Amino acid sequence: MPQDSRVFVSYASHDRADALVLRNLLAGHGCEVWLDVFDINPAGRLHTELVDALHRSDLICVLLSPSSVASKWVRFELDEAIAGGQRLLPIILRPCDLPDQLDGLACIDAEDGIDTEHVGLQILRALLGNEVASGREIDEALRRMLAEREQVLAASEAMRDIAEQLRRVCTEPIREVGIALNPGAIPASQTLEIRFLVEQGNLFTPPVSFFFAHFREDAATWPVEFAFEQPSRRDFRTGQAKVDGKMRWMERVAPLSQAIMAPAFAGDPAQFHFELDGADWTPGGLNLRRNFELPSLAELAGNRACFQVILHDQTRRASVLVDSEKTDLDIEVTATLPGEARHQHVHLRLFKTGHDALERLLLGSGYLSMRESPVEREVLLGHYPPLRGRPRHGEEERGAREGRLRAGAVHDEADLRDAARVALLDAKILRNRGDFAATDTELSKAIDRILPFVRNGEEPDTDDVELVCEAYFGKAELMATTRRYDQAQIWGERVIEVRRRQAERRPYDSANHSRLAFMLGLHAEEKLNSGDPAAAAPLLVEMAGHARQAFAVTRDLRDARELVEILRHAIALAERAAIAGLPIAEWTAEIERLRVDGP
């Protein structure tokens, strides 16, 4: 192809970082590259824009991964290109099942990354001819082969030492489990199950299972056949991955707590945590007493413990076993064990999906290939120094993007929103350091960036409302910390103002009423502390009213408990300040009625 050729890049949004690298590579050699994030007309029709761009291109580069293979838009672009008889160049980013349309086509293996020299040279040679790569590609391939041999030999030696180091903790039972996954890769209508089982013995049969499902406002989050308690809307707030998690072991069911890094960015993994108390229990239908804990690493290795990943489709009433090396779910299951010294812990990686090329090479050769237990192999691999601390898929892109946003390079509305999130994150870090002046500056940046989306005259997005409220609340807390109480009240009133508008716009969203009730309670306490009980009285009444509305929407047990707690809090504040004229008798009767009748 001539160097001024037009190239269309087809990819899934999960692989945008790779698409941008490919664009820079080709543009640097004179190609005209069409990439939707830059070249699609915001006012145009998506279907028409894609078809026109495809037909005007000399070559279609298809970036292949589990996400792109599942993408309806990538399938559409592939079908359209084949129907038009256009030239295709498939580039494999991660292991996946190739589409039937690509059968017989040579693919470029780009698992090491498009930005690595040998992959970039292969792509340029495929597009522009042998003279672009010359002999450098052969030399690079030889260097890679020699480097891989050295890595295998070094790993085989290191794994024996790692196994010896872990010997002191391998007999400890597992009572803390962490699970990280990519919520965007879970299909909207499906439920993800991570199943932990042992092939031999009776350590735990049936297996321990961890379930995950997207929160659905218009339907049940959990299929009826799972018999799980449906989540409250309040469980899904801005900054949290909107996925619910449950653990089931025989008849025991427990929620998984979310460990969320705030603020969360699009593409961040959802992180869950679960603790087992180790107490004695007797599972229903069994006479064997046991502890509520997972077996030690030594027991798991001896009983060939393994993990399975299953997707349950509630529409088709079917379940599919997922190939753990051909998925973008990005699952990691870890266990935390106590170390030798106090407050020290040992973290073990029990399971991982989507190993990269180097990890797969080490798993299939040398010392690890002789270990029969997949859990033992994963634990040793996770402790291998050259692999520890390497970023998960997408983390490098996030770090580069944060740096760009901090530098003020904002290109669109999505950037502006994430720039506000970066400022909020920096404000939290600076406040922990005690740098209050810099904290105030970052909070002001966040407010300036997100406020236009809340004041645009239309109904704002819920995430935008939550961001501005988080920034306002940060200001109020900062003012209170620095003893500027009059300013703290002003910023608190701004949070309440935004919350009131949101509750009026969406009266049937219980979370809006709950959040407003919380802020009203804080504001009422501030009024009482400043010696203004007259101003606190209507705030307490309004607080109780919104807690009541939250319960009226959901009628679930948690909202009932929250209503009782809020009413008790209002009574305690009123009695402490001797506020007259409040319906304390009515609140007391309501508490008794909720306790007796239930929700």
Side-chain angles (χ1 to χ4, degrees):
M1 290 175 55
Q3 291 197 351
D4 59 352
S5 299
R6 294 183 297 271
V7 179
F8 182 102
V9 180
S10 177
Y11 69 101
S13 58
H14 191 60
D15 303 320
R16 180 163 290 141
D18 296 293
L20 292 172
V21 172
L22 179 61
R23 178 179 185 269
N24 294 338
L25 174 69
L26 299 182
H29 285 77
C31 294
E32 179 186 337
V33 184
W34 193 95
L35 200 65
D36 59 354
V37 70
F38 293 108
D39 302 307
I40 205 161
N41 180 8
R45 293 179 62 84
L46 181 59
H47 181 279
T48 304
E49 293 272 327
L50 289 175
V51 171
D52 289 347
L54 280 162
H55 289 171
R56 284 188 283 105
S57 298
D58 301 305
L59 178 93
I60 316 299
C61 282
V62 187
L63 300 186
L64 294 170
S65 69
S67 292
S68 67
V69 169
S71 168
K72 66 176 183 179
W73 287 110
V74 172
R75 289 198 301 270
F76 165 76
E77 291 160 1
L78 194 55
D79 290 340
E80 194 70 26
I82 291 174
Q86 289 171 287
R87 185 182 173 194
L88 293 167
L89 178 62
I91 300 175
I92 300 175
L93 301 178
R94 293 183 299 286
C96 57
D97 294 320
L98 299 184
D100 294 338
Q101 300 99 311
L102 300 180
D103 187 34
L105 283 181
C107 302
I108 290 179
D109 181 357
E111 284 191 56
D112 288 341
I114 294 175
D115 54 349
T116 55
E117 184 180 19
H118 69 94
V119 174
L121 288 171
Q122 286 184 64
I123 294 172
L124 292 174
R125 189 183 70 167
L127 267 63
L128 306 176
N130 290 336
E131 66 277 5
V132 176
S134 66
R136 291 165 57 201
E137 184 183 354
I138 298 174
D139 293 340
E140 177 61 24
L142 181 59
R143 287 197 299 270
R144 283 185 64 216
M145 182 181 69
L146 295 173
E148 285 179 355
R149 288 180 181 175
E150 291 180 2
Q151 286 171 331
V152 169
L153 291 173
S156 295
E157 291 295 324
M159 293 299 173
R160 291 179 173 84
D161 294 335
I162 294 171
E164 188 62 33
Q165 293 168 13
L166 294 177
R167 191 179 299 279
R168 60 185 174 80
V169 298
C170 69
T171 58
E172 294 288 334
I174 297 172
R175 293 184 179 174
E176 291 187 44
V177 177
I179 299 174
L181 53 89
N182 170 23
I186 305 176
S189 63
Q190 296 186 15
T191 301
L192 168 67
E193 178 185 358
I194 302 172
R195 185 178 293 175
F196 188 26
L197 49 85
V198 175
E199 293 181 2
Q200 298 176 352
N202 59 354
L203 288 177
F204 47 119
T205 304
V208 176
S209 287
F210 302 95
F211 295 90
F212 303 90
H214 288 284
F215 172 60
R216 304 174 70 197
E217 289 191 275
D218 57 343
T221 295
W222 296 105
V224 176
E225 58 268 24
F226 281 62
F228 289 152
E229 180 183 359
Q230 299 295 336
S232 166
R233 295 187 179 189
R234 162 177 331 110
D235 295 338
F236 300 89
R237 300 187 177 184
T238 298
Q240 294 188 354
K242 296 176 174 57
V243 173
D244 195 20
K246 305 282 188 188
M247 183 283 308
R248 170 175 282 157
W249 186 3
M250 300 186 212
E251 77 274 13
R252 296 189 71 158
V253 175
L256 301 177
S257 59
Q258 295 195 37
I260 302 297
M261 291 178 61
F265 288 75
D268 277 356
Q271 299 181 32
F272 295 85
H273 180 75
F274 184 70
E275 293 189 16
L276 300 96
D277 58 18
D280 289 347
W281 70 300
T282 303
L286 298 176
N287 295 323
L288 178 64
R289 289 183 62 82
R290 64 188 69 198
N291 296 330
F292 190 56
E293 59 191 21
L294 300 183
S296 67
L297 178 60
E299 291 177 287
L300 295 177
N303 288 274
R304 298 181 183 178
C306 65
F307 286 83
Q308 292 178 341
V309 179
I310 303 167
L311 283 172
H312 303 279
D313 191 319
Q314 59 197 72
T315 304
R316 300 177 181 176
R317 304 287 182 183
S319 300
V320 176
L321 187 64
V322 176
D323 186 335
S324 63
E325 295 300 335
K326 295 180 179 180
T327 177
D328 280 334
L329 286 166
D330 286 344
I331 298 169
E332 279 192 7
V333 181
T334 57
T336 301
L337 297 174
E340 290 182 337
R342 190 177 180 185
H343 303 307
Q344 284 188 350
H345 297 89
V346 178
H347 302 283
L348 307 177
R349 191 174 78 191
L350 305 179
F351 176 69
K352 181 181 185 293
T353 62
H355 293 96
D356 62 27
L358 176 56
E359 289 174 323
R360 291 199 302 275
L361 176 69
L362 297 180
L363 283 169
S365 61
Y367 180 77
L368 289 182
S369 64
M370 297 184 294
R371 320 304 291 184
E372 292 187 2
S373 166
V375 170
E376 186 180 12
R377 290 198 297 269
E378 194 63 62
V379 168
L380 294 173
L381 184 67
H383 268 69
Y384 182 46
L387 300 180
R388 292 185 68 181
R390 295 210 303 179
R392 292 169 60 87
H393 179 69
E395 285 186 2
E396 289 177 311
E397 178 195 5
R398 170 179 172 165
R401 188 161 188 245
E402 282 188 26
R404 173 172 66 81
L405 296 176
R406 284 193 179 96
V410 177
H411 303 317
D412 51 28
E413 290 187 352
D415 276 357
L416 201 57
R417 288 180 168 96
D418 273 353
R421 293 184 173 98
V422 168
L424 284 170
L425 178 62
D426 290 344
K428 291 176 181 178
I429 293 170
L430 290 165
R431 178 172 178 175
N432 288 337
R433 293 176 183 169
D435 191 343
F436 296 142
T439 302
D440 192 33
T441 300
E442 293 301 321
L443 288 171
S444 296
K445 284 183 187 177
I447 292 169
D448 291 341
R449 290 164 178 170
I450 200 64
L451 200 55
F453 298 110
V454 180
R455 287 184 173 173
N456 60 7
E458 302 175 359
E459 182 175 341
D461 185 82
T462 301
D463 286 354
D464 295 337
V465 170
E466 295 306 315
L467 281 174
V468 79
C469 285
E470 185 177 351
Y472 282 166
F473 189 70
K475 281 274 195 178
E477 283 191 316
L478 182 63
M479 296 301 115
T481 302
T482 54
R483 301 190 176 184
R484 288 178 282 176
Y485 299 113
D486 54 339
Q487 290 294 313
Q489 290 204 20
I490 290 172
W491 287 108
E493 287 168 359
R494 292 187 183 182
V495 179
I496 290 172
E497 178 187 352
V498 175
R499 292 285 184 212
R500 279 181 178 142
R501 287 202 302 267
Q502 195 70 355
E504 290 170 1
R505 291 189 186 103
R506 301 185 177 183
Y508 297 106
D509 188 338
S510 66
N512 290 328
H513 296 293
S514 297
R515 294 164 187 162
L516 177 53
F518 171 75
M519 282 305 305
L520 289 166
L522 288 181
H523 201 45
E525 288 191 62
E526 288 293 328
K527 293 293 185 183
L528 291 176
N529 292 335
S530 61
D532 191 359
L539 295 172
L540 292 175
V541 173
E542 188 180 359
M543 174 184 72
H546 282 286
R548 194 176 293 116
Q549 284 181 269
F551 171 58
V553 170
T554 64
R555 306 295 294 181
D556 69 23
L557 184 59
R558 279 173 289 187
D559 283 313
R561 289 171 180 162
E562 184 167 312
L563 175 55
V564 168
E565 290 302 315
I566 284 176
L567 292 175
R568 285 175 175 162
H569 186 53
I571 292 171
L573 290 177
E575 291 177 344
R576 188 186 74 187
I579 304 176
L582 292 177
I584 293 179
E586 178 185 328
W587 290 344
T588 303
E590 190 170 3
I591 291 172
E592 290 301 316
R593 186 170 63 254
L594 285 168
R595 288 178 59 188
V596 173
D597 298 337

